[in-house]
Amino acid sequence: MTPLSEEPLIDDDGQVVLFRDFLGAEQSRRLFDAVSSSCPWRQDELMLFGRKVLTPRLSSWHGDAPYTYSGLTMTPQAWSPPLLEIKARAENHTHTTFNSVLLNLYRDGRDSMSWHSDDEPELGPNPLIASISLGEPRRFRLRHKMNKARAVSVDLSDGSLLLMSGPTQHYWQHAIPKTRRTIGARINLTFRWTYTG
Ligand SMILES: O=C(O)CCC(=O)C(=O)O
Ligand SMILES: [Mn+2]
């Protein structure tokens, strides 16, 4: 088997690496269909400047314990066969184990994810985040927290794997901006190890 081509995106105050051809086109399409139809998608409400707003995307949380971010607590859903298949692929590739995954479904270009870091305490100080994308490519942006002129922008294509590790979440934020282009749906899965109890 030919080794996957590896594209370093950040190697300073953290590590971010992209593997564009992590899943084959047929495998990605099959997994997109299986995950989108079997996942118990929900649209959550967040508190933003004292007001309740719907998140601009659908989500689903699978793990051992509830997950809390931005004042919102998500109860864990069951692991389905397609999720376990993708988890095994990510674990084989990274030689680690993951016990949780956050899924986001961006229905079209109006759905988005605002600037944030994956820095919840239960992820530990230097989490390895394995982010797999299925479906429509979307622009992914990274910016340095102390020097916002330092920025990286990349399209996360169908079947790609992005790995964020080391102190990345301490120094960098990431986002999926909205786009005016007429585009289809994208699913993103971020596998994590969550410390519980
Ligand atoms: O959709 C993406 O690529 C990013 C998702 C993300 O940042 C997250 O789930 O924390
Ligand atoms: Mn994130």
Side-chain angles (χ1 to χ4, degrees):
M1 242 170 65
T2 43
L4 291 176
S5 71
E6 175 176 345
E7 217 172 296
L9 299 177
I10 286 175
D11 195 16
D12 175 19
D13 289 340
Q15 283 78 41
V16 181
V17 190
L18 177 63
F19 300 88
R20 285 187 193 273
D21 302 312
F22 179 64
L23 301 173
E26 245 169 67
Q27 191 178 25
S28 295
R29 193 165 327 118
R30 177 176 59 78
L31 289 168
F32 179 95
D33 290 343
V35 171
S36 56
S37 58
S38 65
C39 220
W41 299 108
R42 44 181 281 180
Q43 188 172 18
D44 291 299
E45 280 181 339
L46 283 177
M47 287 301 282
L48 208 64
F49 305 113
R51 277 200 319 140
K52 277 189 181 170
V53 290
L54 284 174
T55 55
R57 61 189 173 273
L58 306 186
S59 316
S60 187
W61 168 249
H62 304 254
D64 300 333
Y67 175 57
T68 302
Y69 74 100
S70 300
L72 165 80
T73 298
M74 299 181 77
T75 39
Q77 304 296 323
W79 289 95
S80 62
L83 288 184
L84 289 171
E85 182 182 337
I86 305 171
K87 178 161 111 65
R89 282 294 308 267
E91 290 177 338
N92 280 340
H93 182 86
T94 54
H95 307 289
T96 51
T97 45
F98 297 107
N99 65 357
S100 48
V101 64
L102 177 65
L103 286 98
N104 288 296
L105 170 60
Y106 303 84
R107 294 160 292 182
D108 58 30
R110 288 169 295 190
D111 277 352
S112 62
M113 170 81 80
S114 56
W115 287 107
H116 70 283
S117 303
D118 297 345
D119 56 2
E120 291 78 28
E122 58 269 37
L123 296 176
N126 289 328
L128 171 66
I129 310 277
S131 164
I132 292 163
S133 296
L134 300 171
E136 195 75 47
R138 289 293 296 259
R139 182 62 51 90
F140 181 76
R141 293 187 187 278
L142 286 146
R143 72 178 181 196
H144 197 277
K145 286 193 205 176
M146 290 100 188
N147 179 358
K148 294 208 164 75
R150 287 173 64 193
V152 175
S153 184
V154 68
D155 284 333
L156 295 184
S157 51
D158 183 36
S160 65
L161 165 68
L162 180 90
L163 293 180
M164 298 189 276
S165 60
T168 305
Q169 306 305 326
H170 183 73
Y171 290 107
W172 296 84
Q173 289 182 316
H174 53 273
I176 299 279
K178 293 182 195 304
T179 171
R180 287 207 183 111
R181 286 183 301 118
T182 305
I183 56 163
R186 166 181 184 259
I187 293 173
N188 177 260
L189 307 93
T190 46
F191 289 91
R192 305 119 181 266
W193 181 270
T194 313
Y195 296 91
T196 51

